[in-house]
Amino acid sequence: MVGLAAVLVICSGLLLYMVKIAFENNVVRHKLTLKGMKEKYSIFFISDIHTRTISDKMIQSINEPIQAVIIGGDLADKRTPISKIYQNLKLLRSLGPVYFIWGNNDREVGEERLRKIFQETDVQIIENDAVLLPNMMNRCWLSAVDDVSSRKADPQKAFEKCQPEDAVIFVSHNPMLFSRIKNFHADVWLAGHLHGGQIRFGPFGIHPQGSFTSVEGKYTLISNGYGTTMIPLRFGAKPECHIIEINFQDTF
């Protein structure tokens, strides 16, 4: 009986710890250097919010100017109250202009309903297209595709406006697409979707841990995401959102 009680205490403690981790607010910062006219441009990137309420305290703690906010998919799913979607978008809009990329769960809310919410809240959807980021001396495109699960993802359309001399930030909710389209030029590749495995033990997890890598001046960020799917638990894969500081320099 004593042994059983000890096991129950340990299991309960582990469960509480996993809940605690799932609701952490971790803002991870990355500094990138791209070639261009000298300027600094900061982006806030968040993905896989699902049913989480974005922390007002976390948003208030961001005291540097943010020129663009990118939602990298799965803002919501069928479990998410509409009121929470509005609340989260209002907080993100307080940082700067918001751009949305479709994830595999977003349409569970109802596509037309979500489009209407974005119209009301002045959120721009980017789907198989690219837009020039505002208030920049450098020409920097934000390019994105629809989620691959929709079977509507069209990288050709997402890149067709981008010129070789332009800077390009490319977003796909699911990073599996990246290896298929390396023939397209992008300086920064952003994705989420995998949650870092959400529950993992050391190197073992359903999906790889999130990562930030740089290879030959090209940067790839695959986020653990901010929320959770199925169960509100995390272990070994902390939730995160990101501030990406892009420093343009005319010489390296």
Side-chain angles (χ1 to χ4, degrees):
M1 292 295 291
V2 174
L4 178 60
V7 169
L8 289 174
V9 168
I10 291 170
C11 290
S12 298
L14 180 60
L15 187 65
L16 289 172
Y17 176 75
M18 293 169 75
V19 171
K20 175 183 176 296
I21 294 298
F23 289 94
E24 283 186 356
N25 292 287
N26 300 304
V27 180
V28 184
R29 296 170 183 268
H30 314 274
K31 288 190 176 184
L32 289 60
T33 303
L34 301 182
K35 189 174 182 180
M37 293 180 286
K38 189 173 182 179
E39 71 173 326
K40 185 175 79 170
Y41 199 88
S42 292
I43 292 168
F44 183 80
F45 178 69
I46 188 168
S47 69
D48 303 283
I49 301 168
H50 290 283
T51 62
R52 260 195 94 172
T53 300
I54 295 175
S55 166
D56 179 69
K57 185 177 180 180
M58 179 185 74
I59 297 299
Q60 295 300 324
S61 72
I62 300 171
N63 48 31
E64 69 261 50
I66 299 293
Q67 281 77 35
V69 176
I70 302 172
I71 303 172
D74 284 359
L75 164 69
D77 59 39
K78 62 186 177 183
R79 305 167 298 164
T80 312
I82 297 300
S83 59
K84 185 173 290 188
I85 297 174
Y86 278 105
Q87 180 181 349
N88 285 339
L89 290 177
K90 182 179 179 181
L91 276 175
L92 294 175
R93 283 282 298 139
S94 71
L95 289 175
V98 177
Y99 302 88
F100 170 81
I101 288 83
W102 291 103
N104 58 298
N105 291 122
D106 291 300
R107 286 184 170 92
E108 294 173 6
V109 176
E111 182 173 342
E112 292 308 312
R113 190 173 197 180
L114 208 48
R115 287 183 185 275
K116 185 173 183 292
I117 291 171
F118 292 146
Q119 187 175 24
E120 292 173 359
T121 53
D122 197 24
V123 171
Q124 184 170 355
I125 305 171
I126 306 178
E127 46 192 340
N128 302 322
D129 198 4
V131 298
L132 280 170
L133 288 173
N135 305 316
M136 294 188 70
M137 293 186 293
N138 294 278
R139 281 171 59 88
C140 183
W141 294 94
L142 177 57
S143 167
V145 291
D146 203 332
D147 186 64
V148 293
S149 67
S150 70
R151 301 185 182 276
K152 298 176 183 178
D154 191 334
Q156 187 72 45
K157 287 184 178 179
F159 282 96
E160 65 184 4
K161 295 178 183 176
C162 309
Q163 300 302 310
E165 65 274 15
D166 297 336
V168 179
I169 300 168
F170 176 73
V171 189
S172 167
H173 176 64
N174 191 330
M176 69 176 287
L177 189 66
F178 291 170
S179 62
R180 303 178 186 176
I181 59 170
K182 285 299 184 181
N183 55 313
F184 291 99
H185 160 71
D187 301 282
V188 184
W189 303 74
L190 303 178
H193 181 59
L194 302 180
H195 295 228
Q198 192 165 309
I199 296 173
R200 60 184 310 110
F201 298 91
F204 303 105
I206 297 174
H207 298 296
Q209 180 70 271
S211 61
F212 176 72
T213 57
S214 173
V215 178
E216 297 180 349
K218 309 298 181 185
Y219 301 90
T220 301
L221 170 61
I222 301 174
S223 178
N224 281 349
Y226 186 71
T228 55
T229 185
M230 295 183 68
I231 53 175
L233 302 173
R234 280 185 180 266
F235 189 84
K238 290 190 173 187
E240 58 188 13
C241 47
H242 310 264
I243 293 176
I244 304 166
E245 181 185 304
I246 303 175
N247 293 284
F248 288 90
Q249 297 181 7
D250 53 7
T251 58
F252 283 87

